[in-house]
Structures are given as C-alpha cells and as structure tokens.
Amino acid sequence: MTLELSPIDKAKFVAARRAADFVEDGMRVGLGTGSTAAWLVRCLGEMVRDQGLRIKGVPTSTRTAELARQVGINVITLEEARWLDVTIDGADEFDDELNLIKGGGGALLHEKIVATASDQMVVIADAAKEVEHLGAFPLPCEVIPFGWRTTQALIEETLVAMDVMGRSSVLRMNGDKPYITDEGNYIIDLKLNRIGDARQLAMVLNQMPGVVENGLFIDICDAVVIGHPDGTVEVRDINEGTVTQDRIDIADSDNLFSDLDE
Ligand code: 5RP
C-alpha cells in the first residue's frame, strides 16, 4: 500500500531527503525528534540498507531511538560518541540568522546537547517555519518538577522586563497529567508572541533556579534545508546565504511511504 502524503508531509520529506546528503560514510550523526526528523531517520535507514552506508546515530529522544533501530541504524549514546560530525533536526521556527525555537516535540534538552556537540547542525523544515521574529510559536522551557509553580511565577515575573509581547505560560499536559520529558522534567510553554532579543532571553531563562533549558537555539544552527510540497528544496547556509536550490522527485521514494502507520 502506498500512502498519499499531505502537502506539508511532502515538504518535510523533501527537506529530509536533501539533508541526508550531508551524511557521509563513517559519520556519527545526531538524529533529531519530530515528524520532519522522522523522515530523515527513514531516509538514512534506507541508505543504510540499500547503499551500505555505515553511520552511528545518536538519537535525541526515546521515540527517535526506537525508529532508528527499526530502520536499521546503528544507535549509540552521546557518551559513546562523545562528539558528532553532524546533527540533523527539525524546528518549530527559524529566523534569517538561523536562530531557532525548538521543543514542540518536548525533546529540546537532548536536542540542544546533541546539536551543540556536533561540528555542524542542519535544520530541516517546511517553509511555514520561517519567521521574521521568533516567538509566535510558544517557547518551551524545561523545568524541574519540584516547585514548578514557583518557577513558572518567577519566569512570568522576569518576562516583564524582557523584550517580549506576551508573558502568560502554561504547563504542557499529556491528557490530564503533566507532560514528562525523557529526563523526567516538566515543560512550561511561554506565550510570548514576539521575542525582541532572543539571545538575552535565552540567557536570562537559563539563569533561573528550576529552569533546566529553554527552546531558543542561538548560534547553533549552521544550515537550514527548506522543503516545499512541489519537491523543491533550498539550502540556506549561515555564512553564504542560499547555496543551492534543487528539486526532488517524490515518486522515486515510493518505497519509503509504504506501510507507514503514522
Ligand atoms: C522536538 C522539536 C521538533 O524538531 C520540532 O517540534 C519540529 O517538529 P516537526 O518536524 O514535527 O514539525 O523541536 O522537540
């Protein structure tokens, strides 16, 4: 059975397919989390199986680890890898300086550690993720469960002095229970609407007791691969701007869409 992809999934898929070109034989690769990163993991799995690509993958979540093993990628821990050649991950928003909001999928802490431990971080995204100013997407903040209401109040109070357009926040839920991260923490989503100074906000948030990490990725991303539903992809490099524009034939990848259950 072949699944008909939605336009957004086509865009995510072609971004992932193009980003797989950054991966070379023998590399240690950080594997992101989310629906776009899942396409990347499937593409790499196909390269492992069909082309004999030898890579070691460091997943950024238990979900990604499970998928990576399923598709035949050799999964190792960051402790084993120590340092990575490249990390490829999705994002919730990116701006023209390739600063990001991440954590919509709840994996921001491992994602930031893994991306920072990589020679290169490549983001894969559909065009809707590009923004002039970060902040329309609620900024995820991973906090220790102990005293989380106090931490939340402290964050909201601190936001008064920050260059943001909103300062309400909500505890992320999973049904009627708090969402729990892979590290056993909670996530508070900050509704900021527009972040004026993302660098300052990232630093201030991380200085608060109880805050483990925030979803602002500043000066971490090196390139963004932007996919479109018609198969076109653009690679935007932090130093060189747009470096390539290609078109990927989605029909060539029919086998990757077979029997997908999501
Ligand atoms: C997970 C993330 C994801 O990369 C981000 O939420 C984008 O997800 P998707 O590719 O499903 O749109 O940061 O923590």
Side-chain angles (χ1 to χ4, degrees):
M1 181 195 86
T2 298
L3 202 76
E4 183 52 39
L5 295 186
S6 68
I8 196 83
D9 273 328
K10 283 182 184 160
K12 290 177 179 187
F13 166 72
V14 292
R17 170 63 94 206
R18 175 66 183 79
D21 293 347
F22 283 82
V23 178
E24 292 170 16
D25 202 41
M27 279 188 168
R28 288 160 298 175
V29 183
L31 305 171
T33 294
S35 56
T36 322
W39 282 118
L40 183 267
V41 173
R42 290 187 195 107
C43 289
L44 292 179
E46 189 187 46
M47 289 160 73
V48 167
R49 291 191 308 273
D50 299 352
Q51 299 164 27
L53 178 77
R54 288 161 304 165
I55 55 167
K56 290 176 176 155
V58 174
T60 50
S61 63
T62 48
R63 269 167 292 160
T64 298
E66 201 177 311
L67 178 62
R69 286 195 186 95
Q70 266 172 26
V71 300
I73 295 174
N74 182 6
V75 169
I76 61 169
T77 63
L78 186 57
E79 289 67 41
E80 288 165 322
R82 297 289 187 90
W83 196 259
L84 305 172
D85 297 286
V86 65
T87 285
I88 305 177
D89 200 350
D92 299 300
E93 285 184 352
F94 66 91
D95 68 11
D96 62 354
E97 293 179 343
L98 307 195
N99 292 323
L100 318 170
I101 286 185
K102 282 189 53 54
L108 66 129
L109 177 57
H110 287 194
E111 288 172 336
K112 201 182 267 194
I113 294 172
V114 168
T116 306
S118 305
D119 283 342
Q120 200 180 15
M121 182 202 193
V122 177
V123 159
I124 45 181
D126 57 274
K129 304 284 181 67
E130 181 166 14
V131 295
E132 200 173 331
H133 296 282
L134 298 174
F137 191 91
L139 176 65
C141 225
E142 182 156 343
V143 301
I144 300 278
F146 176 81
W148 70 269
R149 283 185 199 279
T150 307
T151 306
Q152 181 182 25
L154 188 65
I155 291 172
E156 287 190 359
E157 204 178 297
T158 305
L159 287 173
V160 176
M162 296 282 110
D163 185 5
V164 293
M165 276 180 60
R167 59 186 173 94
S168 65
S169 65
V170 288
L171 181 69
R172 192 178 296 186
M173 301 297 286
N174 183 11
D176 57 359
K177 298 211 169 67
Y179 175 90
I180 309 282
T181 70
D182 278 350
E183 288 294 336
N185 295 317
Y186 291 173
I187 288 185
I188 295 175
D189 289 305
L190 312 183
K191 299 180 177 180
L192 308 174
N193 301 322
R194 185 183 188 278
I195 301 172
D197 189 341
R199 188 178 304 273
Q200 182 194 40
L201 180 62
M203 279 192 310
V204 168
L205 286 171
N206 278 15
Q207 279 168 359
M208 288 183 200
V211 172
V212 181
E213 191 50 86
N214 69 83
L216 285 165
F217 283 47
I218 310 292
D219 297 336
I220 295 177
C221 174
D222 299 285
V224 176
V225 182
I226 305 162
H228 299 271
D230 66 355
T232 54
V233 279
E234 179 190 334
V235 180
R236 212 173 288 168
D237 181 275
I238 186 69
N239 299 313
E240 298 164 51
T242 297
V243 280
T244 56
Q245 273 171 320
D246 308 316
R247 194 188 181 96
I248 288 177
D249 191 352
I250 296 172
D252 279 353
S253 307
D254 235 20
N255 51 336
L256 267 180
F257 311 142
S258 303
D259 303 326
L260 286 180
D261 56 5
E262 54 174 50

